[in-house]
Amino acid sequence: MENLVGLLRIHVKRGVNLAIRDISSSDPYIVVHCGKQNLMRLLNCWSKLKTRVVKHSVNPEWNDDLTLSVTDPNLPIKLTVYDYDLLSADDKMGEAEFHIGPFIEAIKFAHQLGPGLPNGTIIKKIEPSRKNCLSESSHIVLNQGKIVQNMFLRLQHVECGEVELQLEWIDVPGSRGI
């Protein structure tokens, strides 16, 4: 893929206080994709990926790794939570969006500083605002030699729910790089 910039590993940790869509619980899973729902933009980005379904839980523990091929780091990443239904269409349980631009800036900055940063060093802190879906401060840190971003996203267009993620950038030899 000649336009490949790198890979983004999204560790989908868990959901917290998700909406109930069945009688007393839900069977949630998450679909992740980039950009808008416009087909042409989707073709210029990467395919959508999804977690496994966790049965009967509004506080699911996924611990699933989804790896996206990034061709345009300026496009937002969108995740949608669904309730799996066997006999009818799956119910939407909310959605959230985030940008990887600040994460990529922090990676570039850390590379400029060079090796020797102690484990646990906070490289950048991003505060929740009306312009993002963060429900609390997000830290980009050096963790065991890797730069990761931890985030809690508040789901939109739903009565309640948050999703916890961890991002990790993977450089690919021969790609355009960041």
Side-chain angles (χ1 to χ4, degrees), residues 8-150:
L8 180 68
R9 180 172 295 139
I10 302 173
H11 181 74
V12 182
K13 292 183 175 185
R14 64 189 176 123
V16 178
N17 194 30
L18 299 181
I20 295 173
R21 290 294 181 260
D22 293 334
I23 294 171
S24 63
S25 191
S26 292
D27 304 315
Y29 67 94
I30 294 179
V31 174
V32 178
H33 63 86
C34 76
K36 306 298 179 194
Q37 288 288 350
N38 180 318
L39 180 61
M40 291 308 291
R41 292 192 87 160
L42 199 56
L43 291 174
N44 288 327
C45 193
W46 48 73
S47 61
K48 63 182 178 178
L49 301 171
K50 69 179 190 175
T51 66
R52 63 190 167 81
V53 174
V54 175
K55 296 283 190 181
H56 313 295
S57 181
V58 293
N59 294 297
E61 298 276 342
W62 284 288
N63 288 313
D64 284 357
D65 286 328
L66 306 177
T67 303
L68 301 172
S69 300
V70 178
T71 57
D72 185 348
N74 298 312
L75 291 177
I77 310 290
K78 184 174 182 179
L79 63 86
T80 307
V81 182
Y82 291 96
D83 170 50
Y84 174 78
D85 288 320
L86 185 61
L87 300 175
S88 62
D90 293 350
D91 302 311
K92 206 172 197 179
M93 297 174 64
E95 59 193 19
E97 186 175 281
F98 63 92
H99 293 268
I100 62 171
F103 182 52
I104 291 183
E105 289 171 15
I107 293 169
K108 289 178 184 177
F109 178 70
H111 286 200
Q112 290 173 351
L113 295 176
L117 290 174
N119 193 42
T121 299
I122 297 174
I123 298 166
K124 188 169 187 159
K125 183 176 175 181
I126 303 164
E127 294 296 336
S129 73
R130 291 184 178 161
K131 294 182 181 180
N132 63 42
C133 291
L134 294 173
S135 60
E136 60 184 51
S137 297
S138 175
H139 296 96
I140 300 171
V141 300
L142 183 65
N143 183 11
Q144 299 177 354
K146 299 176 183 175
I147 299 169
V148 297
Q149 181 176 359
N150 299 302

